[in-house]
Amino acid sequence: MDFDLPLIWAAIIAFAVLAYVVLDGFDLGVGILFPLFPEKHDRDVMMNSVAPVWDGNETWLVLGGGGLMAVFPLAYATVLPALYAPIIAMLIGLIFRGVAFEYRWRTKRAEFLWNWAFAGGSMLAAFAQGIALGALVQGIPVENRAYAGSWWDWLTPFSIVTGIAIVVGYALLGATWLVMKTHGDLAERARAIALKCCFATIGAMGVVSLWTPFLDPVYLQRWFGWPTAIFSVIVPLLVLGCLYLLIKGIRDRHDVQPFIAALGLFILGYIGIGISFYPYMVPPSLTIWEAAAPEESLAFLLAGALVLVPIILAYTGYAYWVFRGKVDPEEGYH
Amino acid sequence: MFESFDATMLARMQFAFTVSFHIIFPAFSIGLASYLAVLEALWLWKKDEVYLELFNFWKTIFAVTFGMGVVSGIVMSYQFGTNWSVFADKAGPIIGPLMGYEVLTAFFLEAGFLGVMLFGLNRVGPRLHFFATAMVAIGTLISATWILSANSWMQTPAGFAVNEAGQFTPVDWWAIIFNPSFPYRLVHMVLAAYLTTAFVVGACGAWHLLRQTAPRRSRTMFSMAMWMAAIVAPIQILAGDQHGLNTLEHQPAKVMGMEGHFESHPDGAPLVLFGIPNAAEKRIDYAIEVPKLGSLILKHDLNAPLAGLDTIPAELHPPVAVIFWSFRIMVGIGFAMLGIGLWSLWCRYHGTLASDPWLHRAAVLMGPAGFVAVLAGWVTTEVGRQPYTVYGHLLTANSIAPIEAPAVSASLLAFIIVYFFVFGAGTFYILRLMARLPRDTMPELDEGPIRTAGVAHGPASAKSHGAHHGL
């Protein structure tokens, strides 16, 4: 039996990126919400709620990037130059907020600085990721195995909107995470913020979803042509279901349900993008098969990935299990 | 400031700058992770509190170092695409899977268990906690293995073909991973990381011995570091010699540049100790040489002929001045490390290891030496690879992304400002953490949330341990 290796790898890379988006999404979201919680004690708890896991979360980004170079080198080599400025901005944002996890505890006098680094870095990284997503959706021209557009193509009204949508969406993930992981007044305020972010996120998703089909006739055909139009009924219905569970979970003061429902929203949005993209790796220029590395590379890495990804998921799950439950405000190794 | 540079030169500067910063952190964290595992093992085995105290002290420093390594490493993994996209397209099918395996086998392992190592002692108990520490240490070594394999493949490519799109395609993965220079490079780098860490730990111990604070902890730390220096420095010099022979075999132009041999020497080459390389005139000015010694070192024969750069077209010469100096800096530091190691053995024999102030002063001075040597070594090997990215097959000039100079210079400037600010602050915090050791209380800062009691999870014994030590 023949395996369609490029397609399998497209699914694995898609999974890695999704894992990154939902995992780093909530810890970036905690950073985005930092300015709304001015008290030091709240901020200590917020940071400690993600401190043991953020590093693992961010590793999915490295797998997404490194994996893309390994199995879709042509996609990697054309998308990254096209997104030069947002990628650099994202990296700088991630630098600032990554070091803030340690530096913030090392100084009293400069603590405000690292609070800003954490909040600002998280916002910058999230916004840049949203812009990159928007730029990818609106299309990247490729000629002769190289990016063929200009340097500011990524900057459009559409990409700004997707940038804002990601910031708001991550804030929702962060707020529902805090509802799940914290006690008392902090959790109460997170609940109120989660409700607001929920409406903002669904609004932003709506705008992006209605805009996307008109960017490219392929997308339009995909969403409103037969038989694929089935998706454009199912996906929004499921979105509404998640939205209901999310709002009800917040109103009924559930701890876990809002976070799970918010993850559901993200996964559905992601599936929506996937439906629009298929079979492209770099729309509208490169299909999955055109962008793929030689068979030998795909097979070699797949052998490892099939064994290692389940192991990774197992010990990542274990690490989350070790730190399960509400954050103890007194806890931290600092 | 950057008008005179083209995009290729700027992209090279950006890569050199970001990779130089990055390499500092793994060089330290590889050694430190192993040191932490050893300390925790000693604590579990000997039940001596001094090891746990040292573990907790260096753990905090490790966390800061590791954080900086992670964020500077993410930059590296995206820079191949932003600035070197043609390289990424062509070499991606080979370099990519090697780096992919690094992420799958090492990064996740380190990141997954780092949280448990830093935050989990009284949640999982000492034995599982030691397992987490060991996983972090093993992760750093696995990571080094894959990265050195990828880098070595760029230096001594093997096991590949080239397809019609100009991509390097894998033919034999075994030959790719275990390419001719990989074992030498891996050993040399891991030993360098251990030495670097030993000299930082040794300098910290010596500093506190000089100030006579917390003598027991400082003595233990200093003694362990000096054992490392005494044992590993000579091994490293041997490994370096073997690596040099390997380089002569596979990248002769690099060795010619390192040794300053512009001319061929048909009957025995001298060893150029010092001099000023003059690339325009193709000679070493003011050279101080030892006749025949070059052939003795490189060929283990006084009269063996040695080819010079005159046998290679000028456009394929590496930048001689840079690698001539960086190589001498690395070797000089290596011998200085050996000197400290031998000195420490002499003091140990006479029972003055913890009391000889001159040894301690020398050790403090040598604290940053490992970092300088590691940087100099990487400059030698990477600049010596020029003008190629994939040695002998892909020129650097043909690897660059279709980017414009202003975009690269703007991002380079941004990286320079951000790196100096962020990593400058990190260095400051690490130095301050090191200076704070000698208090009898735990090294935690007053302003961090000090845990007052155990948490509800984990075995009771661990809980009492954690509470006892104020973890």
Side-chain angles (χ1 to χ4, degrees):
Chain A
M1 178 178 164
D2 265 347
F3 289 102
D4 190 341
L5 287 172
L7 192 61
I8 294 170
W9 267 112
I12 295 175
I13 296 284
F15 174 76
V17 174
L18 175 64
Y20 171 74
V21 168
V22 298
L23 292 174
D24 214 26
F26 75 73
D27 63 48
L28 285 165
V30 169
I32 293 166
L33 296 176
F34 233 45
L36 300 177
F37 295 85
E39 276 176 41
K40 176 178 161 51
H41 179 262
D42 289 343
R43 290 181 166 182
D44 290 354
V45 172
M46 287 166 76
M47 207 175 219
N48 273 338
S49 78
V50 290
V53 292
W54 77 271
D55 205 357
N57 296 345
E58 207 159 280
T59 306
W60 291 97
L61 180 67
V62 186
L63 183 62
L68 197 64
M69 176 168 159
V71 290
F72 298 104
L74 189 52
Y76 179 84
T78 49
V79 170
L80 266 66
L83 303 177
Y84 198 89
I87 295 273
I88 302 283
M90 174 189 82
L91 294 173
I92 288 174
L94 291 176
I95 288 174
F96 274 107
R97 84 153 202 137
V99 296
F101 277 101
E102 286 299 327
Y103 292 6
R104 192 176 165 272
W105 309 97
R106 308 280 153 242
T107 167
K108 217 171 221 166
R109 220 180 326 159
E111 191 185 309
F112 74 97
L113 207 63
W114 302 115
N115 285 334
W116 274 110
F118 188 54
S122 301
M123 284 180 218
L124 178 62
F127 189 57
Q129 285 170 10
I131 294 228
L133 171 69
L136 194 58
V137 170
Q138 73 199 6
I140 287 172
V142 175
E143 277 166 29
N144 296 324
R145 304 181 76 83
Y147 173 56
S150 69
W151 292 106
W152 297 94
D153 282 7
W154 53 270
L155 186 63
T156 61
F158 179 74
S159 69
I160 300 277
V161 170
T162 53
I164 294 168
I166 289 289
V167 173
V168 174
Y170 283 179
L172 170 68
L173 284 175
T176 52
W177 169 262
L178 290 174
V179 168
M180 185 167 75
K181 296 295 283 187
T182 64
H183 294 284
D185 182 48
L186 176 53
E188 280 310 315
R189 272 183 292 157
R191 208 168 266 129
I193 292 166
L195 201 58
K196 286 181 192 144
C197 288
C198 169
F199 293 116
T201 303
I202 210 72
M205 272 178 93
V207 173
V208 172
S209 307
L210 291 176
W211 198 330
T212 303
F214 300 100
L215 289 172
D216 190 313
V218 176
Y219 298 158
L220 191 66
Q221 172 64 27
R222 183 68 44 80
W223 285 100
F224 297 108
W226 190 256
T228 44
I230 295 172
F231 294 126
S232 42
V233 180
I234 295 175
V235 174
L237 274 180
L238 289 172
V239 167
L240 285 178
C242 276
L243 191 63
Y244 170 77
L245 290 174
L246 180 54
I247 295 171
K248 191 164 160 18
I250 295 171
R251 292 247 158 96
D252 294 352
R253 313 177 61 75
H254 281 292
D255 280 344
V256 182
Q257 185 177 321
F259 182 65
I260 303 288
L263 287 186
L265 274 187
F266 260 83
I267 294 169
L268 287 169
Y270 192 77
I271 290 172
I273 295 166
I275 290 170
S276 306
F277 269 32
Y278 185 84
Y280 289 98
M281 199 71 207
V282 184
S285 307
L286 296 170
T287 65
I288 290 169
W289 297 273
E290 286 165 345
E295 199 98 317
E296 296 82 7
S297 302
L298 302 182
F300 173 66
L301 194 56
L302 185 64
L306 290 179
V307 177
L308 292 163
V309 171
I311 297 175
I312 291 166
L313 290 174
Y315 63 64
T316 303
Y318 169 74
Y320 272 85
W321 174 251
V322 167
F323 298 102
R324 69 195 177 276
K326 302 263 185 189
V327 181
D328 184 335
E330 300 298 324
E331 196 174 8
Y333 85 105
H334 304 283
Chain B
M1 175 177 179
F2 296 117
E3 295 86 6
S4 55
F5 296 114
D6 60 3
T8 307
M9 194 62 209
L10 286 163
R12 281 182 62 191
M13 286 166 63
Q14 183 169 324
F15 198 83
F17 178 77
T18 49
V19 82
S20 298
F21 257 95
H22 176 64
I23 191 66
I24 293 282
F25 306 116
F28 191 30
S29 58
I30 291 169
L32 207 47
S34 294
Y35 184 51
L36 286 172
V38 169
L39 284 172
E40 194 171 9
L42 285 171
W43 172 58
L44 288 175
W45 178 33
K46 297 194 169 173
K47 312 274 182 228
D48 185 343
E49 292 303 312
V50 76
Y51 295 114
L52 181 65
E53 285 157 3
L54 285 178
F55 175 86
N56 282 317
F57 171 67
W58 286 105
K59 177 183 80 175
T60 321
I61 291 164
F62 178 80
V64 179
T65 310
F66 193 83
M68 294 194 279
V70 168
V71 296
S72 60
I74 292 178
V75 173
M76 301 314 304
S77 76
Y78 280 84
Q79 209 163 57
F80 289 115
T82 52
N83 288 354
W84 300 98
S85 65
V86 176
F87 170 81
D89 176 29
K90 292 190 168 167
I94 287 180
I95 297 291
L98 299 180
M99 299 205 307
Y101 269 106
E102 184 199 17
V103 181
L104 291 171
T105 57
F107 280 8
F108 277 109
L109 197 66
E110 295 169 76
F113 286 101
L114 181 73
V116 179
M117 179 179 123
L118 292 181
F119 299 88
L121 181 56
N122 48 3
R123 286 189 171 229
V124 298
R127 278 169 198 283
L128 258 180
H129 187 262
F130 172 64
F131 179 75
T133 308
M135 286 301 114
V136 172
I138 291 169
T140 62
L141 291 172
I142 298 176
S143 168
T145 304
W146 288 111
I147 279 297
L148 267 295
S149 175
N151 178 265
S152 299
W153 186 84
M154 290 166 68
Q155 304 272 359
T156 54
F160 67 95
V162 178
N163 70 8
E164 65 281 3
Q167 288 177 306
F168 296 94
T169 59
V171 174
D172 177 355
W173 278 105
W174 188 262
I176 290 168
I177 297 170
F178 296 94
N179 60 75
S181 65
F182 163 65
Y184 300 95
R185 247 174 251 283
L186 176 65
V187 170
H188 201 43
M189 181 64 210
V190 170
L191 292 180
Y194 280 180
L195 275 176
T196 299
T197 307
F199 275 87
V200 174
V201 172
C204 183
W207 169 261
H208 288 298
L209 282 172
L210 283 169
R211 304 203 321 175
Q212 300 190 316
T213 42
R216 181 135 186 272
R217 266 169 268 166
S218 323
R219 213 167 49 226
T220 308
M221 172 156 97
F222 185 65
S223 170
M224 289 175 85
M226 288 300 111
W227 274 126
M228 193 67 155
I231 296 167
V232 175
I235 299 176
Q236 177 69 315
I237 289 168
L238 277 177
D241 174 60
Q242 293 300 307
H243 183 26
L245 297 183
N246 178 267
T247 306
L248 178 66
E249 189 183 339
H250 296 281
Q251 299 176 292
K254 185 191 281 186
V255 176
M256 293 169 197
M258 282 154 58
E259 301 286 0
H261 292 317
F262 283 106
E263 292 164 15
S264 298
H265 300 276
D267 46 357
L271 179 73
V272 184
L273 290 175
F274 285 104
I276 314 277
N278 183 338
E281 304 282 323
K282 305 219 177 304
R283 61 161 193 264
I284 305 287
D285 294 335
Y286 315 109
I288 302 170
E289 310 181 330
V290 182
K292 311 271 188 193
L293 188 58
S295 283
L296 182 69
I297 291 173
L298 289 167
K299 300 260 171 131
H300 295 187
D301 173 1
L302 281 173
N303 294 312
L306 202 64
L309 286 168
D310 54 4
T311 58
I312 294 166
E315 68 271 16
L316 298 181
H317 287 190
V320 174
V322 176
I323 58 178
F324 180 84
W325 282 112
S326 62
F327 177 62
R328 272 153 192 74
I329 291 169
M330 176 187 73
V331 172
I333 291 175
F335 278 98
M337 287 175 159
L338 177 69
I340 295 271
L342 294 176
W343 187 359
S344 80
L345 286 181
W346 194 81
C347 286
R348 205 185 285 274
Y349 179 73
H350 289 91
T352 57
L353 186 70
S355 60
D356 184 339
W358 285 105
L359 175 64
H360 300 159
R361 283 176 198 139
V364 170
L365 267 181
M366 285 289 284
F371 297 115
V372 181
V374 164
L375 274 177
W378 275 101
V379 166
T380 307
T381 202
E382 294 299 280
V383 174
R385 190 188 57 208
Q386 297 303 328
Y388 294 105
T389 46
V390 179
Y391 197 75
H393 294 276
L394 181 61
L395 287 165
T396 307
N398 298 338
S399 304
I400 186 84
I403 38 172
E404 286 164 1
V408 196
S409 51
S411 59
L412 173 59
L413 206 59
F415 279 127
I416 289 174
I417 294 167
V418 169
Y419 274 40
F420 274 106
F421 176 67
V422 166
F423 300 131
T427 310
F428 173 73
Y429 293 138
I430 285 183
L431 288 174
R432 207 167 57 173
L433 282 168
M434 288 185 186
R436 283 192 182 204
L437 165 75
R439 297 185 314 182
D440 278 329
T441 52
M442 288 305 297
E444 275 83 352
L445 273 189
D446 322 290
E447 55 262 35
I450 307 281
R451 182 182 297 169
T452 50
V455 197
H457 313 288
S461 62
K463 199 164 75 180
S464 65
H465 257 304
H468 177 65
H469 299 298
L471 280 168

